[in-house]
Amino acid sequence: MTFDSLGLAEPLRLALEAEKHLKPTPIQIKAIPVALEGRDLLAVAQTGSGKTAAFTLPLLHRLAADKHHRVPGSPRALILAPTRELASQIVERIHAYGRRLKLNTSVIFGGVPHGKQIKALKAGTDIVVATPGRLLELLNNRHIKLDRLEVLVLDEADRMFDMGFIRDIRKIVRFCPKQRQTLLFSATMPPTIAELAKEVLHDAQRIEISPEKVAVDRIRQQVYFVGAQDKRKLLADLIDGPETGQAIVFTRTKRGADRVCRGLVEGGTSAVALHGNKAQGARVKALEGFRSGKVRVLVATDIAARGIDIPGISHVINYELPNEPESYVHRIGRTARAGASGIALSFCDAAERPYLKAIERLTRVAVEAVDHPLAQVSQDEAPRRPAKRGARGAGPARKRRRPGKRPVPGGRPFAKSRAVQRQSEASV
């Protein structure tokens, strides 16, 4: 099947040809016709499956076909995204696909001054792409109205739940007219998202694209069983390898990202860190440097696990395995973009073995173990557990006492004070 058979307007088909997007992905084949019919849609698909085009193309088709005069501060379409990076990525795709259409798009997110965003809204815009927090702030201050909204898109709904945005989303939906088209996209479908879907969707068509298969199609996955103290040396050795091009290194914490990045820079590797504590200007600069090729390694938390679409990434390295297996799927999906192949390497210390087992259960693939001089930890070694109280080296064991009893030299609990006795009698 080609995009010509999906019924999209000619300007969109020409833009797709210019972007060298000739064949639609499975999620696009199933979602675009439903969205073009004006129906609500619930789509479950992993990042990297082409879902951004699955909702932006029918959205652009609808707005271009039904032209209206722009009203200051009242967009016709709203796309909610969990992070600034993903919001910016969506705007880039809208500009690419809608290059032949006379539609205006604005992006709204936190971390930057309000002035330019308010000015863009007052000038009039057809589409707003926003993160929930800043949008709700502008709604409460009446800088934007959603009374003319025709289409609402919730992208990466499960990620927005993880980041604590569900309450904000429910508040935003109350500002929207009841007569609208709503498209909800999520990589997973936990009970909370299923409940949200029932609230915001009406007579929706559900589409699900095998999430387990997306991660393993063109990505070679390998794991190094290595002690936590040897991860830094192993990373430096792999980064210096001739087969490693641009790479994203994932850590679990922000401090960990800064620490790993600092170690790479001290070793002579061009690297930048990306996480939630960085100012918006620093985050944009880091991504631009990485996208242009000036920076070879991006060290990031899971904030970069979605919304980073850079075709030249050869390796994804999990310096620390995520404690949620779905995050692993999103992480390694940053490589093997646009039909290319990629390599995902993971470092696994003894305490992370349960994380690896959970990942293998989700992906239904046994990750290939790789030998390395620094990776000499036995694969069968059990994770270390904290020593029991009273064990050698753990200090003396303490005797357990019954709750509510205070120990005294005579072995009897202290008697209640007269004031406490009076208070107890009064309460009875």
Side-chain angles (χ1 to χ4, degrees):
M1 182 176 289
T2 64
F3 282 104
D4 293 340
S5 60
L6 294 179
L8 293 169
E10 183 178 3
L12 294 174
R13 296 199 303 269
L14 293 175
L16 288 167
E17 291 179 6
E19 293 291 313
K20 298 181 180 180
H21 295 174
L22 305 179
K23 293 184 179 180
T25 64
I27 184 63
Q28 293 163 4
I29 292 173
K30 292 185 177 182
I32 290 176
V34 176
L36 288 177
E37 292 176 1
R39 291 190 60 183
D40 284 6
L41 175 64
L42 172 61
V44 182
Q46 295 284 0
T47 55
S49 59
K51 62 180 180 52
T52 302
F55 63 77
T56 55
L57 289 172
L59 172 62
L60 292 170
H61 177 97
R62 171 173 177 161
L63 297 183
D66 189 13
K67 297 181 180 179
H68 291 281
H69 293 292
R70 297 190 187 104
V71 176
S74 296
R76 298 171 58 196
L78 170 64
I79 303 174
L80 291 178
T83 66
R84 311 171 199 173
E85 286 72 24
L86 183 54
S88 299
Q89 188 80 46
I90 293 171
V91 171
E92 289 178 8
R93 291 295 86 203
I94 291 176
H95 288 162
Y97 300 144
R99 63 181 68 180
R100 298 174 180 270
L101 304 175
K102 296 181 180 180
L103 296 173
N104 196 353
T105 304
S106 299
V107 61
I108 292 175
F109 48 65
V112 295
H114 298 71
K116 290 184 178 180
Q117 297 176 357
I118 295 174
K119 184 177 180 181
L121 291 172
K122 288 183 177 180
T125 183
D126 297 292
I127 306 170
V128 167
V129 184
T131 53
R134 173 59 63 88
L135 176 64
L136 188 58
E137 183 179 351
L138 295 180
L139 280 168
N140 290 330
N141 292 326
R142 300 183 180 180
H143 293 301
I144 182 174
K145 295 181 179 180
L146 301 180
D147 55 332
R148 298 179 66 251
L149 198 71
E150 300 175 23
V151 183
L152 171 64
V153 180
L154 305 178
D155 190 22
E156 303 286 6
D158 55 343
R159 179 62 174 155
M160 287 195 278
F161 168 73
D162 293 340
M163 298 177 68
F165 285 139
I166 291 297
R167 182 175 297 179
D168 290 346
I169 292 174
R170 287 192 168 99
K171 292 180 181 178
I172 291 170
V173 170
R174 295 192 190 105
F175 284 94
C176 301
K178 292 183 179 180
Q179 297 297 327
R180 65 176 190 274
Q181 181 184 22
T182 305
L183 312 176
L184 190 152
F185 285 75
S186 185
T188 59
M189 191 51 58
T192 310
I193 302 303
E195 182 180 350
L196 177 67
K198 291 181 180 179
E199 296 176 15
V200 302
L201 300 176
H202 175 70
D203 190 26
Q205 174 74 42
R206 175 165 178 157
I207 295 172
E208 190 162 357
I209 305 297
S210 322
E212 296 87 357
K213 296 181 180 179
V214 175
V216 298
D217 281 344
R218 300 180 304 274
I219 303 174
R220 183 179 181 183
Q221 302 175 69
Q222 297 178 328
V223 61
Y224 293 84
F225 292 95
V226 59
Q229 70 280 2
D230 293 324
K231 286 186 176 183
R232 182 172 175 177
K233 294 180 181 178
L234 177 59
L235 177 63
D237 185 71
L238 295 176
I239 291 295
D240 290 339
E243 68 281 359
T244 305
Q246 278 193 299
I248 297 184
V249 178
F250 282 102
T251 63
R252 279 197 299 270
T253 65
K254 302 167 187 176
R255 289 185 178 181
D258 287 333
R259 185 169 58 250
V260 171
C261 180
R262 187 164 52 249
L264 289 172
V265 172
E266 291 173 354
T269 300
S270 59
V272 291
L274 179 68
H275 53 70
N277 281 355
K278 296 285 185 180
Q280 179 61 23
R283 290 163 69 165
V284 171
K285 184 178 180 180
L287 280 177
E288 288 179 350
F290 187 61
R291 183 174 281 110
S292 66
K294 294 180 181 179
V295 175
R296 187 166 166 233
V297 180
L298 180 70
V299 186
T301 58
D302 282 332
I303 195 173
R306 310 190 194 193
I308 305 296
D309 190 2
I310 302 176
I313 299 173
S314 67
H315 286 66
V316 167
I317 300 177
N318 292 297
Y319 188 87
E320 295 168 320
L321 284 173
N323 53 8
E324 296 180 355
E326 291 83 5
S327 296
Y328 172 86
V329 176
H330 296 305
R331 286 181 179 187
I332 70 174
R334 297 310 98 204
T335 186
R337 310 292 289 186
S341 59
I343 298 176
L345 308 178
S346 298
F347 299 171
C348 182
D349 60 38
E352 294 174 308
R353 301 293 170 82
Y355 301 158
L356 179 62
K357 290 181 179 179
I359 289 167
E360 291 178 330
R361 282 196 300 269
L362 175 67
T363 60
R364 300 179 184 176
V365 173
V367 182
E368 174 191 0
V370 182
D371 291 330
H372 190 277
L374 292 171
Q376 297 177 351
V377 179
S378 170
Q379 185 175 354
D380 297 327
E381 178 184 337
R384 294 180 181 177
R385 298 179 179 177
K388 295 181 180 179
R389 289 188 179 275
R392 184 175 299 176
R398 293 182 179 179
K399 293 182 179 179
R400 298 183 62 182
R401 54 186 174 89
R402 294 169 62 186
K405 302 292 184 179
R406 298 178 62 185
V408 293
R412 297 179 180 177
F414 286 119
K416 292 183 180 180
S417 67
R418 292 182 179 179
V420 174
Q421 286 178 347
R422 295 193 196 100
Q423 185 177 2
S424 300
E425 293 170 357
S427 63
V428 174

